[in-house]
Amino acid sequence: DTEVTQTPKHLVMGMTNKKSLKCEQHMGHRAMYWYKQKAKKPPELMFVYSYEKLSINESVPSRFSPECPNSSLLNLHLHALQPEDSALYLCASSLVTPSSYNEQFFGPGTRLTVL
Amino acid sequence: KQEVTQIPAALSVPEGENLVLNCSFTDSAIYNLQWFRQDPGKGLTSLLLIQSSQREQTSGRLNASLDKSSGRSTLYIAASQPGDSATYLCAVGANSKLTFGKGITLSVRP
């Protein structure tokens, strides 16, 4: 298995809703990442987990709450989002970090729309 | 702060042409450099990874080179096809982070 899966593919939520994005990989990778990508912009790093511990938080608002329950799963819990949070949310994983062998593999993304 | 630049932002070529896509970065203290392909509304597909100690990598019709000292990388696409139409992003890896360029949107005309 050489892929990263993400669910759901699309999500529409109101500003008062609570929802979660899920990411899964079975490549034995021990680093997992959340990125946010707005239209026609490059991905922006949000969080990095290394060996199931949060190692990087790029000053992301607290309405985004990441969770790594085990080495294969990564969640992003969403609460009280704003319309400007609408974007493509990408999950990625890599073998180890930091390292020159640190090739990141991305999932297909979740297209989030906040009304 | 690392800055990654890809110029031009868009490129349109006829089928069969050999292409060079450029990427430049400001800080040479990197672990690696990755080239990705992104189709509209989709995730990123890793094309090639060049480790900091390497000069180039090849996969099929793709060849990527890295010159750390000058802060440059190129992605060479041989015999371009309409199916190569996509956005190509380069990303520089350091300290557990990837810093992306804005990408080059390539259109290959039949």
Side-chain angles (χ1 to χ4, degrees), chain B residues 11-50:
Chain B
L11 190 59
S12 179
V13 300
E15 182 176 5
E17 196 160 297
N18 298 326
L19 304 172
V20 175
L21 306 182
N22 294 307
C23 172
S24 62
F25 49 94
T26 55
D27 187 348
S28 62
I30 65 172
Y31 286 120
N32 55 38
L33 186 143
Q34 247 180 293
W35 281 94
F36 293 92
R37 169 187 172 137
Q38 187 171 33
D39 293 291
K42 305 293 186 183
L44 278 67
T45 299
S46 179
L47 298 174
L48 289 164
L49 169 77
I50 310 176

Side-chain angles (χ1 to χ4, degrees), chain A residues 37 42 58 97 100 103-104, chain B residues 32 34 38 46 51 96-97 101:
Chain A
Q37 186 178 26
E58 292 287 85
T97 182
S100 63
E103 182 174 8
Q104 291 192 25
Chain B
N32 55 38
Q34 247 180 293
Q38 187 171 33
S46 179
Q51 296 169 33
S96 306
K97 299 183 184 182

Side-chain angles (χ1 to χ4, degrees), chain A residues 51-67:
Chain A
Y51 295 93
E52 295 89 70
K53 293 192 187 311
L54 183 64
S55 60
I56 295 177
N57 177 340
E58 292 287 85
S59 302
V60 178
S62 60
R63 57 186 184 268
F64 295 92
S65 175
E67 178 195 22

Side-chain angles (χ1 to χ4, degrees), chain A residues 67-111:
Chain A
E67 178 195 22
C68 190
N70 60 55
S71 60
S72 299
L73 292 174
L74 185 66
N75 298 321
L76 186 62
H77 303 297
L78 314 172
H79 173 55
L81 294 192
Q82 304 296 310
E84 59 264 29
D85 296 321
S86 299
L88 181 68
Y89 287 84
L90 295 163
C91 173
S93 70
S94 67
L95 190 59
V96 293
T97 182
S99 165
S100 63
Y101 301 98
N102 186 15
E103 182 174 8
Q104 291 192 25
F105 294 89
F106 282 74
T110 293
R111 174 71 61 188

